[in-house]
Amino acid sequence: MANEIISSFESFESNFPEMVKRHGKGGIAEAFRRYFSKGGVISIAEKRENDWPKLSYPSRSRINSQIKELEEMRSSLQKQHGSWKKKQNSAKSYEITQHFKKLSEPLYWKHLLKAATSKDYKNDAEAVKLPAHLVSDKRWKPMVNMFVNNIDYRKQLTETVQHSVVYKKHRKLAKYSDDLQNFRIEVSKKKLGSLKEKLSEIDADIRMFKTLQGLSIR
């Protein structure tokens, strides 16, 4: 049996039927099951009666090296997870954040004043669903600024939104902004789910190697 190579759980189970039968639901048996499922190979240094075997391969140094690699991968994935979680939270809080920020923007108040004093301006703003509430967002502020202060731009934008096929598909500017935030939330949700699965797999692999570590003779 010494130095015998085993490369499948089925073969391992046939060599240690009683141990697998008694401990097949977890612990060392599960660690071996996972190890073999990932293409792992073991070399048995010593077969012990009523006990798990001692391994010459994977060696302790080999196991330590693999654990270190996994821990580095986990650290990297955890950083990615934190970054995507931050993006998700930012997208979720975007609306309320913009609500408070707009109150400190003079341009927002100018828009409200013009909407209250000019029926023509108000009709144009309603036609395009002007996202004035996003005035503190650097992506929308230039457009809002031009709409408020440049009548030619306002009329051209209104005409475009009302008749352009692209804008008819997306309907209105404000809806586009909402769709964008919802898209970001959905993307971050998928990324977080994928990263969580990868982290779970890595944690399981680390537990597996640490379990096998105790059986290695060197």
Side-chain angles (χ1 to χ4, degrees), residues 130-148:
L130 182 71
H133 60 295
L134 304 180
V135 68
S136 40
D137 187 325
K138 63 183 180 181
R139 290 164 296 184
W140 293 99
K141 187 172 184 176
M143 186 270 284
V144 175
N145 181 62
M146 288 289 288
F147 188 93
V148 173

Side-chain angles (χ1 to χ4, degrees), residues 97-192:
T97 299
Q98 293 303 314
H99 170 74
F100 286 108
K101 282 186 174 182
K102 74 184 181 184
L103 301 178
S104 62
E105 288 283 351
L107 185 60
Y108 176 71
W109 296 104
K110 185 174 184 180
H111 156 72
L112 291 184
L113 179 62
K114 293 191 74 169
T117 57
S118 170
K119 185 176 181 180
D120 182 60
Y121 177 89
K122 181 180 180 181
N123 288 340
D124 288 342
E126 290 179 348
V128 302
K129 297 297 183 185
L130 182 71
H133 60 295
L134 304 180
V135 68
S136 40
D137 187 325
K138 63 183 180 181
R139 290 164 296 184
W140 293 99
K141 187 172 184 176
M143 186 270 284
V144 175
N145 181 62
M146 288 289 288
F147 188 93
V148 173
N149 294 305
N150 188 317
I151 189 171
D152 290 335
Y153 175 85
R154 170 164 46 100
K155 290 301 181 181
Q156 183 179 351
L157 182 61
T158 303
E159 180 74 13
T160 300
V161 170
Q162 289 178 328
H163 298 98
S164 168
V165 174
V166 174
Y167 278 106
K168 281 183 179 179
K169 181 179 178 181
H170 293 290
R171 299 310 301 167
K172 305 299 180 181
L173 296 174
K175 184 180 185 302
Y176 172 77
S177 176
D178 291 340
D179 288 346
L180 181 61
Q181 296 311 313
N182 290 333
F183 172 74
R184 287 173 176 163
I185 291 172
E186 189 61 29
V187 168
S188 61
K189 181 180 178 181
K190 289 180 180 179
K191 284 286 186 180
L192 287 168

Side-chain angles (χ1 to χ4, degrees), residues 38-92:
K38 291 179 171 290
V41 174
I42 66 170
S43 176
I44 297 176
E46 177 189 347
K47 184 177 181 182
R48 299 179 294 175
E49 189 174 353
N50 297 319
D51 202 354
W52 297 109
K54 284 293 185 178
L55 309 177
S56 59
Y57 185 86
S59 66
R60 198 162 298 171
S61 61
R62 171 63 177 164
I63 292 175
N64 288 339
S65 175
Q66 289 180 293
I67 290 175
K68 183 179 179 181
E69 288 179 12
L70 287 167
E71 287 176 339
E72 289 173 352
M73 288 174 58
R74 180 172 61 184
S75 178
S76 176
L77 290 175
Q78 285 174 333
K79 289 178 181 177
Q80 293 180 47
H81 188 277
S83 177
W84 277 105
K85 189 64 177 177
K86 188 175 181 180
K87 290 177 182 179
Q88 184 185 60
N89 290 337
S90 177
K92 286 181 176 180

